[in-house]
């Protein structure tokens, strides 16, 4: 059951909060090209019959593999097999997930899924596999294929262990595109009510900027798409502190001719400290992303997959209550990671990628 976010009369079973000025960026008369129009976020409710189908399907997959495998190589195989089962058992769900993978949508929130741990693990891998091949870095969240995100009181700022607000960002902006996470998938296990995860499609933000000031928006695109910026490597990847990339653009054109974004807002700086125009455009982009974001609560039984290339995400402050979210990293192909690291995966070292992207003079 797919719901169109652009129809304000449609209800959704997902706890969605819309941005305050939400109608402005759906105006199809604003120039900007086909890529800036259309429904970018899908909502999919799994009904009781499909839920039962999914449970049986996951049980069958577990039987075939002799239970849940601990080896990530086997888990990846399980995910690939489970995806095939999913395709024949719940084709409408797979068809929507493939839209996120292939760029006709940017994000999808699925609700009504079975919650039992082993069943949920299988479905996590099966659905993740629909939006990309699954991998992780050895230094991130214990190098597990399904990463367990649990906040810690001493978790610092702007990372997955931080209980405070996690500001707007892309994951792995510092890493070369072919080895960077393309699609992030989250599965809810525990989530305090009201703690939302936000997603902002870049195309909506660009459209909003064009509607505010067309000439300035064109200039912003020029400024943001040249290498006038640098990103700091996130500490959560195990790369160490204070490592910045070589000069990079924030916005670039992907191979499918869609705009893509690399923007950890708290870890991005202009190459020149006196580049006031670069800073101004960066701030405008951030304001626009904040204005167009959609919000979902990744509660138990829900799955949220979104493109890390075509949008940015953030998370509310976790004020009280336990939280546990499972996460997978998806990429169109492991080939780039294999080429750049010399490893077969699905768990890769981060060090070769840091060496490749780091600015020697940073
Ligand atoms: Fe993130």
């Amino acid at each position: 059951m797919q719901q169109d976010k652009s129809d304000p009369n449609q209800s959704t079973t997902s706890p969605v909060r819309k941005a305050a000025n939400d109608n402005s960026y759906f105006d199809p008369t604003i120039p900007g090209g086909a890529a800036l129009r259309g429904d970018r976020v899908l909502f999919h409710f799994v009904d009781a019959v499909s839920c039962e189908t999914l449970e049986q399907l996951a049980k069958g997959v577990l039987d075939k593999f002799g239970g849940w495998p601990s080896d990530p190589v086997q888990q990846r195989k399980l995910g690939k097999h489970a995806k095939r089962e999913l395709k024949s058992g719940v084709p409408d769900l797979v068809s929507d997930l493939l839209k996120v993978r292939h760029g006709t949508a940017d994000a999808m929130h699925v609700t009504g899924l079975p919650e039992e741990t082993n069943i949920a693990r299988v479905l996590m891998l099966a659905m993740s596999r629909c939006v990309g091949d699954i991998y992780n870095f050895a230094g991130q969240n214990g190098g597990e294929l399904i990463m367990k995100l649990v906040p810690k009181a001493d978790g610092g700022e702007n990372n997955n262990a931080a209980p405070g607000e996690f500001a707007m960002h892309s994951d792995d902006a510092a890493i070369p595109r072919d080895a960077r996470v393309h699609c992030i998938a989250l599965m809810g296990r525990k989530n305090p009510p009201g703690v939302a995860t936000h997603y902002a499609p870049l195309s909506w933000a660009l459209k909003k900027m064009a509607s505010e000031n067309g000439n300035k928006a064109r200039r912003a695109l020029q400024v943001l798409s040249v290498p006038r910026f640098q990103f700091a490597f996130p500490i959560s990847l195990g790369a160490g502190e204070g490592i910045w990339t070589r000069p990079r653009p924030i916005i670039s054109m992907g191979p499918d001719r869609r705009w893509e974004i690399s923007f950890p807002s708290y870890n991005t700086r202009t190459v020149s400290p006196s580049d006031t125009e670069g800073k101004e455009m960066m701030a405008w982009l951030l304001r626009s992303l904040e204005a167009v974001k959609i919000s979902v609560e990744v509660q138990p039984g829900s799955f949220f997959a979104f493109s890390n290339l075509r949008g940015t995400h953030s998370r509310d402050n976790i004020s009280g209550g336990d939280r546990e979210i499972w996460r997978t990293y998806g990429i169109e192909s492991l080939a780039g990671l294999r080429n750049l690291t010399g490893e077969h995966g699905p768990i890769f070292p981060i060090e070769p990628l840091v060496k490749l992207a780091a600015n020697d003079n940073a």
Side-chain angles (χ1 to χ4, degrees), residues 302-337:
S302 87
F303 173 88
F304 187 39
F306 52 86
S307 168
N308 185 51
L309 299 177
R310 298 187 301 277
T312 54
H313 60 286
S314 61
R315 191 208 66 214
D316 285 342
N317 174 43
I318 305 166
S319 50
D322 291 339
R323 190 171 195 262
E324 179 183 324
I325 301 290
W326 292 349
R327 179 179 69 174
T328 55
Y329 266 14
I331 192 163
E332 188 51 36
S333 157
L334 297 185
L337 282 154

PDB file of all heavy atoms in Angstrom, residues 302-337:
ATOM      1  N   SER A 302       9.182  -1.394  12.121  1.00  0.00           N
ATOM      2  CA  SER A 302       9.294  -0.483  10.979  1.00  0.00           C
ATOM      3  C   SER A 302      10.706  -0.481  10.420  1.00  0.00           C
ATOM      4  O   SER A 302      11.679  -0.778  11.121  1.00  0.00           O
ATOM      5  CB  SER A 302       8.823   0.929  11.332  1.00  0.00           C
ATOM      6  OG  SER A 302       9.864   1.702  11.875  1.00  0.00           O
ATOM      7  N   PHE A 303      10.792  -0.141   9.162  1.00  0.00           N
ATOM      8  CA  PHE A 303      12.037  -0.185   8.389  1.00  0.00           C
ATOM      9  C   PHE A 303      12.078   1.091   7.567  1.00  0.00           C
ATOM     10  O   PHE A 303      11.089   1.447   6.921  1.00  0.00           O
ATOM     11  CB  PHE A 303      11.988  -1.423   7.487  1.00  0.00           C
ATOM     12  CG  PHE A 303      13.112  -1.555   6.494  1.00  0.00           C
ATOM     13  CD1 PHE A 303      14.301  -2.185   6.841  1.00  0.00           C
ATOM     14  CD2 PHE A 303      12.971  -1.089   5.189  1.00  0.00           C
ATOM     15  CE1 PHE A 303      15.329  -2.346   5.912  1.00  0.00           C
ATOM     16  CE2 PHE A 303      13.988  -1.236   4.258  1.00  0.00           C
ATOM     17  CZ  PHE A 303      15.173  -1.869   4.622  1.00  0.00           C
ATOM     18  N   PHE A 304      13.200   1.787   7.637  1.00  0.00           N
ATOM     19  CA  PHE A 304      13.314   3.062   6.924  1.00  0.00           C
ATOM     20  C   PHE A 304      14.587   3.022   6.083  1.00  0.00           C
ATOM     21  O   PHE A 304      15.679   2.920   6.629  1.00  0.00           O
ATOM     22  CB  PHE A 304      13.369   4.202   7.945  1.00  0.00           C
ATOM     23  CG  PHE A 304      13.324   5.591   7.343  1.00  0.00           C
ATOM     24  CD1 PHE A 304      12.517   5.884   6.254  1.00  0.00           C
ATOM     25  CD2 PHE A 304      14.082   6.620   7.892  1.00  0.00           C
ATOM     26  CE1 PHE A 304      12.464   7.161   5.711  1.00  0.00           C
ATOM     27  CE2 PHE A 304      14.039   7.903   7.360  1.00  0.00           C
ATOM     28  CZ  PHE A 304      13.218   8.174   6.270  1.00  0.00           C
ATOM     29  N   ALA A 305      14.424   3.051   4.771  1.00  0.00           N
ATOM     30  CA  ALA A 305      15.578   3.025   3.868  1.00  0.00           C
ATOM     31  C   ALA A 305      15.613   4.341   3.105  1.00  0.00           C
ATOM     32  O   ALA A 305      14.563   4.847   2.691  1.00  0.00           O
ATOM     33  CB  ALA A 305      15.455   1.865   2.888  1.00  0.00           C
ATOM     34  N   PHE A 306      16.802   4.910   2.963  1.00  0.00           N
ATOM     35  CA  PHE A 306      16.886   6.179   2.247  1.00  0.00           C
ATOM     36  C   PHE A 306      18.223   6.299   1.517  1.00  0.00           C
ATOM     37  O   PHE A 306      19.230   5.727   1.928  1.00  0.00           O
ATOM     38  CB  PHE A 306      16.678   7.365   3.192  1.00  0.00           C
ATOM     39  CG  PHE A 306      17.560   7.366   4.413  1.00  0.00           C
ATOM     40  CD1 PHE A 306      18.828   7.914   4.381  1.00  0.00           C
ATOM     41  CD2 PHE A 306      17.115   6.794   5.599  1.00  0.00           C
ATOM     42  CE1 PHE A 306      19.628   7.918   5.513  1.00  0.00           C
ATOM     43  CE2 PHE A 306      17.916   6.789   6.736  1.00  0.00           C
ATOM     44  CZ  PHE A 306      19.170   7.360   6.690  1.00  0.00           C
ATOM     45  N   SER A 307      18.185   7.052   0.432  1.00  0.00           N
ATOM     46  CA  SER A 307      19.406   7.283  -0.344  1.00  0.00           C
ATOM     47  C   SER A 307      20.310   8.240   0.418  1.00  0.00           C
ATOM     48  O   SER A 307      19.893   9.340   0.788  1.00  0.00           O
ATOM     49  CB  SER A 307      19.063   7.876  -1.710  1.00  0.00           C
ATOM     50  OG  SER A 307      20.257   8.334  -2.322  1.00  0.00           O
ATOM     51  N   ASN A 308      21.547   7.833   0.605  1.00  0.00           N
ATOM     52  CA  ASN A 308      22.544   8.700   1.241  1.00  0.00           C
ATOM     53  C   ASN A 308      23.222   9.585   0.204  1.00  0.00           C
ATOM     54  O   ASN A 308      24.001  10.454   0.551  1.00  0.00           O
ATOM     55  CB  ASN A 308      23.584   7.801   1.942  1.00  0.00           C
ATOM     56  CG  ASN A 308      24.597   8.587   2.744  1.00  0.00           C
ATOM     57  OD1 ASN A 308      24.244   9.435   3.551  1.00  0.00           O
ATOM     58  ND2 ASN A 308      25.876   8.321   2.496  1.00  0.00           N
ATOM     59  N   LEU A 309      22.910   9.368  -1.063  1.00  0.00           N
ATOM     60  CA  LEU A 309      23.496  10.178  -2.140  1.00  0.00           C
ATOM     61  C   LEU A 309      22.564  11.320  -2.537  1.00  0.00           C
ATOM     62  O   LEU A 309      23.016  12.386  -2.926  1.00  0.00           O
ATOM     63  CB  LEU A 309      23.754   9.314  -3.388  1.00  0.00           C
ATOM     64  CG  LEU A 309      24.714   8.140  -3.236  1.00  0.00           C
ATOM     65  CD1 LEU A 309      24.791   7.349  -4.542  1.00  0.00           C
ATOM     66  CD2 LEU A 309      26.103   8.622  -2.855  1.00  0.00           C
ATOM     67  N   ARG A 310      21.254  11.101  -2.446  1.00  0.00           N
ATOM     68  CA  ARG A 310      20.290  12.090  -2.951  1.00  0.00           C
ATOM     69  C   ARG A 310      19.556  12.827  -1.841  1.00  0.00           C
ATOM     70  O   ARG A 310      18.538  13.475  -2.085  1.00  0.00           O
ATOM     71  CB  ARG A 310      19.281  11.398  -3.883  1.00  0.00           C
ATOM     72  CG  ARG A 310      19.915  10.780  -5.116  1.00  0.00           C
ATOM     73  CD  ARG A 310      18.864  10.256  -6.075  1.00  0.00           C
ATOM     74  NE  ARG A 310      18.008   9.252  -5.484  1.00  0.00           N
ATOM     75  CZ  ARG A 310      18.291   7.965  -5.380  1.00  0.00           C
ATOM     76  NH1 ARG A 310      19.434   7.510  -5.859  1.00  0.00           N
ATOM     77  NH2 ARG A 310      17.451   7.120  -4.804  1.00  0.00           N
ATOM     78  N   GLY A 311      20.063  12.725  -0.617  1.00  0.00           N
ATOM     79  CA  GLY A 311      19.438  13.442   0.483  1.00  0.00           C
ATOM     80  C   GLY A 311      20.290  13.354   1.732  1.00  0.00           C
ATOM     81  O   GLY A 311      21.273  12.605   1.776  1.00  0.00           O
ATOM     82  N   THR A 312      19.905  14.133   2.739  1.00  0.00           N
ATOM     83  CA  THR A 312      20.627  14.113   4.017  1.00  0.00           C
ATOM     84  C   THR A 312      19.654  13.719   5.129  1.00  0.00           C
ATOM     85  O   THR A 312      18.443  13.787   4.955  1.00  0.00           O
ATOM     86  CB  THR A 312      21.217  15.499   4.331  1.00  0.00           C
ATOM     87  OG1 THR A 312      20.166  16.467   4.267  1.00  0.00           O
ATOM     88  CG2 THR A 312      22.319  15.868   3.350  1.00  0.00           C
ATOM     89  N   HIS A 313      20.207  13.343   6.270  1.00  0.00           N
ATOM     90  CA  HIS A 313      19.356  12.890   7.369  1.00  0.00           C
ATOM     91  C   HIS A 313      19.842  13.432   8.702  1.00  0.00           C
ATOM     92  O   HIS A 313      20.976  13.901   8.826  1.00  0.00           O
ATOM     93  CB  HIS A 313      19.262  11.360   7.381  1.00  0.00           C
ATOM     94  CG  HIS A 313      20.583  10.653   7.539  1.00  0.00           C
ATOM     95  ND1 HIS A 313      21.515  10.568   6.522  1.00  0.00           N
ATOM     96  CD2 HIS A 313      21.135  10.013   8.592  1.00  0.00           C
ATOM     97  CE1 HIS A 313      22.563   9.889   6.936  1.00  0.00           C
ATOM     98  NE2 HIS A 313      22.373   9.542   8.200  1.00  0.00           N
ATOM     99  N   SER A 314      18.964  13.345   9.699  1.00  0.00           N
ATOM    100  CA  SER A 314      19.303  13.808  11.043  1.00  0.00           C
ATOM    101  C   SER A 314      18.406  13.062  12.030  1.00  0.00           C
ATOM    102  O   SER A 314      17.531  12.296  11.616  1.00  0.00           O
ATOM    103  CB  SER A 314      19.102  15.319  11.162  1.00  0.00           C
ATOM    104  OG  SER A 314      17.746  15.656  10.924  1.00  0.00           O
ATOM    105  N   ARG A 315      18.654  13.280  13.305  1.00  0.00           N
ATOM    106  CA  ARG A 315      17.870  12.577  14.318  1.00  0.00           C
ATOM    107  C   ARG A 315      17.660  13.476  15.524  1.00  0.00           C
ATOM    108  O   ARG A 315      18.533  14.259  15.888  1.00  0.00           O
ATOM    109  CB  ARG A 315      18.614  11.301  14.747  1.00  0.00           C
ATOM    110  CG  ARG A 315      17.801  10.342  15.586  1.00  0.00           C
ATOM    111  CD  ARG A 315      18.719   9.542  16.502  1.00  0.00           C
ATOM    112  NE  ARG A 315      19.329  10.432  17.462  1.00  0.00           N
ATOM    113  CZ  ARG A 315      20.557  10.298  17.949  1.00  0.00           C
ATOM    114  NH1 ARG A 315      21.323   9.319  17.570  1.00  0.00           N
ATOM    115  NH2 ARG A 315      21.040  11.163  18.826  1.00  0.00           N
ATOM    116  N   ASP A 316      16.496  13.337  16.151  1.00  0.00           N
ATOM    117  CA  ASP A 316      16.178  14.121  17.344  1.00  0.00           C
ATOM    118  C   ASP A 316      17.078  13.742  18.514  1.00  0.00           C
ATOM    119  O   ASP A 316      17.645  12.648  18.548  1.00  0.00           O
ATOM    120  CB  ASP A 316      14.724  13.838  17.786  1.00  0.00           C
ATOM    121  CG  ASP A 316      13.700  14.521  16.901  1.00  0.00           C
ATOM    122  OD1 ASP A 316      14.074  15.459  16.185  1.00  0.00           O
ATOM    123  OD2 ASP A 316      12.526  14.108  16.948  1.00  0.00           O
ATOM    124  N   ASN A 317      17.098  14.622  19.465  1.00  0.00           N
ATOM    125  CA  ASN A 317      17.685  14.341  20.766  1.00  0.00           C
ATOM    126  C   ASN A 317      16.956  13.150  21.406  1.00  0.00           C
ATOM    127  O   ASN A 317      15.731  13.066  21.338  1.00  0.00           O
ATOM    128  CB  ASN A 317      17.503  15.620  21.601  1.00  0.00           C
ATOM    129  CG  ASN A 317      17.929  15.455  23.021  1.00  0.00           C
ATOM    130  OD1 ASN A 317      18.969  14.862  23.284  1.00  0.00           O
ATOM    131  ND2 ASN A 317      17.133  15.966  23.945  1.00  0.00           N
ATOM    132  N   ILE A 318      17.711  12.207  21.967  1.00  0.00           N
ATOM    133  CA  ILE A 318      17.074  11.057  22.638  1.00  0.00           C
ATOM    134  C   ILE A 318      16.998  11.389  24.126  1.00  0.00           C
ATOM    135  O   ILE A 318      17.964  11.235  24.858  1.00  0.00           O
ATOM    136  CB  ILE A 318      17.892   9.759  22.425  1.00  0.00           C
ATOM    137  CG1 ILE A 318      18.090   9.513  20.930  1.00  0.00           C
ATOM    138  CG2 ILE A 318      17.199   8.577  23.076  1.00  0.00           C
ATOM    139  CD1 ILE A 318      19.144   8.473  20.624  1.00  0.00           C
ATOM    140  N   SER A 319      15.855  11.879  24.521  1.00  0.00           N
ATOM    141  CA  SER A 319      15.742  12.339  25.907  1.00  0.00           C
ATOM    142  C   SER A 319      14.997  11.302  26.735  1.00  0.00           C
ATOM    143  O   SER A 319      13.770  11.291  26.783  1.00  0.00           O
ATOM    144  CB  SER A 319      15.008  13.680  25.956  1.00  0.00           C
ATOM    145  OG  SER A 319      13.817  13.573  25.206  1.00  0.00           O
ATOM    146  N   GLY A 320      15.735  10.405  27.310  1.00  0.00           N
ATOM    147  CA  GLY A 320      15.116   9.403  28.173  1.00  0.00           C
ATOM    148  C   GLY A 320      14.572   8.228  27.385  1.00  0.00           C
ATOM    149  O   GLY A 320      14.134   8.362  26.249  1.00  0.00           O
ATOM    150  N   GLY A 321      14.614   7.052  27.981  1.00  0.00           N
ATOM    151  CA  GLY A 321      14.107   5.850  27.314  1.00  0.00           C
ATOM    152  C   GLY A 321      15.204   5.144  26.542  1.00  0.00           C
ATOM    153  O   GLY A 321      16.168   5.770  26.114  1.00  0.00           O
ATOM    154  N   ASP A 322      15.025   3.844  26.395  1.00  0.00           N
ATOM    155  CA  ASP A 322      16.022   3.052  25.670  1.00  0.00           C
ATOM    156  C   ASP A 322      15.812   3.198  24.178  1.00  0.00           C
ATOM    157  O   ASP A 322      14.689   3.331  23.708  1.00  0.00           O
ATOM    158  CB  ASP A 322      15.883   1.566  26.030  1.00  0.00           C
ATOM    159  CG  ASP A 322      16.301   1.322  27.475  1.00  0.00           C
ATOM    160  OD1 ASP A 322      17.036   2.171  28.023  1.00  0.00           O
ATOM    161  OD2 ASP A 322      15.884   0.292  28.036  1.00  0.00           O
ATOM    162  N   ARG A 323      16.904   3.131  23.455  1.00  0.00           N
ATOM    163  CA  ARG A 323      16.792   3.136  21.995  1.00  0.00           C
ATOM    164  C   ARG A 323      17.748   2.098  21.423  1.00  0.00           C
ATOM    165  O   ARG A 323      18.907   2.003  21.850  1.00  0.00           O
ATOM    166  CB  ARG A 323      17.132   4.509  21.420  1.00  0.00           C
ATOM    167  CG  ARG A 323      16.785   4.638  19.923  1.00  0.00           C
ATOM    168  CD  ARG A 323      16.931   6.086  19.468  1.00  0.00           C
ATOM    169  NE  ARG A 323      16.305   6.339  18.189  1.00  0.00           N
ATOM    170  CZ  ARG A 323      16.953   6.369  17.020  1.00  0.00           C
ATOM    171  NH1 ARG A 323      18.248   6.150  16.979  1.00  0.00           N
ATOM    172  NH2 ARG A 323      16.305   6.626  15.894  1.00  0.00           N
ATOM    173  N   GLU A 324      17.249   1.320  20.505  1.00  0.00           N
ATOM    174  CA  GLU A 324      18.116   0.392  19.765  1.00  0.00           C
ATOM    175  C   GLU A 324      17.595   0.330  18.332  1.00  0.00           C
ATOM    176  O   GLU A 324      16.425   0.005  18.096  1.00  0.00           O
ATOM    177  CB  GLU A 324      18.092  -1.000  20.385  1.00  0.00           C
ATOM    178  CG  GLU A 324      18.978  -1.969  19.602  1.00  0.00           C
ATOM    179  CD  GLU A 324      18.930  -3.393  20.141  1.00  0.00           C
ATOM    180  OE1 GLU A 324      18.827  -3.577  21.370  1.00  0.00           O
ATOM    181  OE2 GLU A 324      18.969  -4.318  19.312  1.00  0.00           O
ATOM    182  N   ILE A 325      18.463   0.682  17.418  1.00  0.00           N
ATOM    183  CA  ILE A 325      18.110   0.661  15.995  1.00  0.00           C
ATOM    184  C   ILE A 325      19.140  -0.216  15.288  1.00  0.00           C
ATOM    185  O   ILE A 325      20.324  -0.142  15.591  1.00  0.00           O
ATOM    186  CB  ILE A 325      18.170   2.100  15.408  1.00  0.00           C
ATOM    187  CG1 ILE A 325      17.204   3.058  16.139  1.00  0.00           C
ATOM    188  CG2 ILE A 325      17.900   2.093  13.903  1.00  0.00           C
ATOM    189  CD1 ILE A 325      15.738   2.827  15.901  1.00  0.00           C
ATOM    190  N   TRP A 326      18.679  -1.033  14.374  1.00  0.00           N
ATOM    191  CA  TRP A 326      19.617  -1.788  13.546  1.00  0.00           C
ATOM    192  C   TRP A 326      19.836  -1.005  12.259  1.00  0.00           C
ATOM    193  O   TRP A 326      18.911  -0.381  11.730  1.00  0.00           O
ATOM    194  CB  TRP A 326      19.057  -3.157  13.190  1.00  0.00           C
ATOM    195  CG  TRP A 326      18.932  -4.095  14.351  1.00  0.00           C
ATOM    196  CD1 TRP A 326      19.443  -3.932  15.616  1.00  0.00           C
ATOM    197  CD2 TRP A 326      18.222  -5.336  14.356  1.00  0.00           C
ATOM    198  NE1 TRP A 326      19.110  -4.992  16.392  1.00  0.00           N
ATOM    199  CE2 TRP A 326      18.367  -5.879  15.652  1.00  0.00           C
ATOM    200  CE3 TRP A 326      17.505  -6.040  13.395  1.00  0.00           C
ATOM    201  CZ2 TRP A 326      17.801  -7.094  16.004  1.00  0.00           C
ATOM    202  CZ3 TRP A 326      16.937  -7.247  13.743  1.00  0.00           C
ATOM    203  CH2 TRP A 326      17.093  -7.779  15.027  1.00  0.00           C
ATOM    204  N   ARG A 327      21.056  -1.088  11.765  1.00  0.00           N
ATOM    205  CA  ARG A 327      21.373  -0.349  10.538  1.00  0.00           C
ATOM    206  C   ARG A 327      22.205  -1.223   9.595  1.00  0.00           C
ATOM    207  O   ARG A 327      23.059  -1.994  10.048  1.00  0.00           O
ATOM    208  CB  ARG A 327      22.187   0.909  10.885  1.00  0.00           C
ATOM    209  CG  ARG A 327      22.584   1.723   9.648  1.00  0.00           C
ATOM    210  CD  ARG A 327      23.357   2.969  10.022  1.00  0.00           C
ATOM    211  NE  ARG A 327      24.685   2.654  10.538  1.00  0.00           N
ATOM    212  CZ  ARG A 327      25.611   3.568  10.825  1.00  0.00           C
ATOM    213  NH1 ARG A 327      25.353   4.848  10.667  1.00  0.00           N
ATOM    214  NH2 ARG A 327      26.791   3.210  11.285  1.00  0.00           N
ATOM    215  N   THR A 328      21.941  -1.076   8.310  1.00  0.00           N
ATOM    216  CA  THR A 328      22.837  -1.677   7.310  1.00  0.00           C
ATOM    217  C   THR A 328      23.298  -0.594   6.343  1.00  0.00           C
ATOM    218  O   THR A 328      22.610   0.420   6.154  1.00  0.00           O
ATOM    219  CB  THR A 328      22.152  -2.792   6.482  1.00  0.00           C
ATOM    220  OG1 THR A 328      20.969  -2.250   5.898  1.00  0.00           O
ATOM    221  CG2 THR A 328      21.825  -4.006   7.321  1.00  0.00           C
ATOM    222  N   TYR A 329      24.453  -0.835   5.756  1.00  0.00           N
ATOM    223  CA  TYR A 329      24.982   0.014   4.698  1.00  0.00           C
ATOM    224  C   TYR A 329      24.806  -0.715   3.364  1.00  0.00           C
ATOM    225  O   TYR A 329      25.186  -1.886   3.248  1.00  0.00           O
ATOM    226  CB  TYR A 329      26.471   0.261   4.933  1.00  0.00           C
ATOM    227  CG  TYR A 329      26.794   1.524   5.689  1.00  0.00           C
ATOM    228  CD1 TYR A 329      25.820   2.240   6.378  1.00  0.00           C
ATOM    229  CD2 TYR A 329      28.097   2.015   5.701  1.00  0.00           C
ATOM    230  CE1 TYR A 329      26.137   3.399   7.049  1.00  0.00           C
ATOM    231  CE2 TYR A 329      28.429   3.177   6.379  1.00  0.00           C
ATOM    232  CZ  TYR A 329      27.443   3.870   7.045  1.00  0.00           C
ATOM    233  OH  TYR A 329      27.760   5.025   7.713  1.00  0.00           O
ATOM    234  N   GLY A 330      24.245  -0.019   2.382  1.00  0.00           N
ATOM    235  CA  GLY A 330      24.067  -0.621   1.065  1.00  0.00           C
ATOM    236  C   GLY A 330      24.787   0.188  -0.010  1.00  0.00           C
ATOM    237  O   GLY A 330      24.897   1.412   0.090  1.00  0.00           O
ATOM    238  N   ILE A 331      25.265  -0.506  -1.008  1.00  0.00           N
ATOM    239  CA  ILE A 331      25.963   0.145  -2.121  1.00  0.00           C
ATOM    240  C   ILE A 331      25.577  -0.584  -3.405  1.00  0.00           C
ATOM    241  O   ILE A 331      25.267  -1.789  -3.367  1.00  0.00           O
ATOM    242  CB  ILE A 331      27.498   0.128  -1.878  1.00  0.00           C
ATOM    243  CG1 ILE A 331      28.233   1.036  -2.856  1.00  0.00           C
ATOM    244  CG2 ILE A 331      28.065  -1.290  -1.907  1.00  0.00           C
ATOM    245  CD1 ILE A 331      29.658   1.377  -2.424  1.00  0.00           C
ATOM    246  N   GLU A 332      25.563   0.125  -4.510  1.00  0.00           N
ATOM    247  CA  GLU A 332      25.110  -0.489  -5.762  1.00  0.00           C
ATOM    248  C   GLU A 332      25.931  -1.743  -6.075  1.00  0.00           C
ATOM    249  O   GLU A 332      25.397  -2.759  -6.503  1.00  0.00           O
ATOM    250  CB  GLU A 332      25.199   0.532  -6.908  1.00  0.00           C
ATOM    251  CG  GLU A 332      24.582   0.098  -8.212  1.00  0.00           C
ATOM    252  CD  GLU A 332      23.144  -0.421  -8.057  1.00  0.00           C
ATOM    253  OE1 GLU A 332      22.396   0.118  -7.222  1.00  0.00           O
ATOM    254  OE2 GLU A 332      22.788  -1.402  -8.762  1.00  0.00           O
ATOM    255  N   SER A 333      27.233  -1.659  -5.860  1.00  0.00           N
ATOM    256  CA  SER A 333      28.104  -2.804  -6.117  1.00  0.00           C
ATOM    257  C   SER A 333      29.294  -2.737  -5.164  1.00  0.00           C
ATOM    258  O   SER A 333      29.760  -1.634  -4.823  1.00  0.00           O
ATOM    259  CB  SER A 333      28.589  -2.756  -7.572  1.00  0.00           C
ATOM    260  OG  SER A 333      29.779  -3.483  -7.716  1.00  0.00           O
ATOM    261  N   LEU A 334      29.800  -3.901  -4.769  1.00  0.00           N
ATOM    262  CA  LEU A 334      30.982  -3.924  -3.898  1.00  0.00           C
ATOM    263  C   LEU A 334      32.268  -3.699  -4.698  1.00  0.00           C
ATOM    264  O   LEU A 334      33.350  -3.636  -4.112  1.00  0.00           O
ATOM    265  CB  LEU A 334      31.081  -5.267  -3.164  1.00  0.00           C
ATOM    266  CG  LEU A 334      29.958  -5.645  -2.179  1.00  0.00           C
ATOM    267  CD1 LEU A 334      30.306  -6.948  -1.453  1.00  0.00           C
ATOM    268  CD2 LEU A 334      29.712  -4.544  -1.158  1.00  0.00           C
ATOM    269  N   ALA A 335      32.153  -3.566  -6.022  1.00  0.00           N
ATOM    270  CA  ALA A 335      33.354  -3.508  -6.875  1.00  0.00           C
ATOM    271  C   ALA A 335      34.290  -2.370  -6.475  1.00  0.00           C
ATOM    272  O   ALA A 335      35.516  -2.561  -6.396  1.00  0.00           O
ATOM    273  CB  ALA A 335      32.944  -3.371  -8.342  1.00  0.00           C
ATOM    274  N   GLY A 336      33.734  -1.178  -6.222  1.00  0.00           N
ATOM    275  CA  GLY A 336      34.567  -0.027  -5.864  1.00  0.00           C
ATOM    276  C   GLY A 336      35.317  -0.272  -4.567  1.00  0.00           C
ATOM    277  O   GLY A 336      36.521   0.016  -4.467  1.00  0.00           O
ATOM    278  N   LEU A 337      34.619  -0.804  -3.578  1.00  0.00           N
ATOM    279  CA  LEU A 337      35.253  -1.109  -2.285  1.00  0.00           C
ATOM    280  C   LEU A 337      36.349  -2.158  -2.469  1.00  0.00           C
ATOM    281  O   LEU A 337      37.433  -2.061  -1.881  1.00  0.00           O
ATOM    282  CB  LEU A 337      34.201  -1.628  -1.302  1.00  0.00           C
ATOM    283  CG  LEU A 337      33.315  -0.556  -0.662  1.00  0.00           C
ATOM    284  CD1 LEU A 337      31.976  -1.126  -0.241  1.00  0.00           C
ATOM    285  CD2 LEU A 337      34.017   0.072   0.544  1.00  0.00           C
TER     286      LEU A 337
END
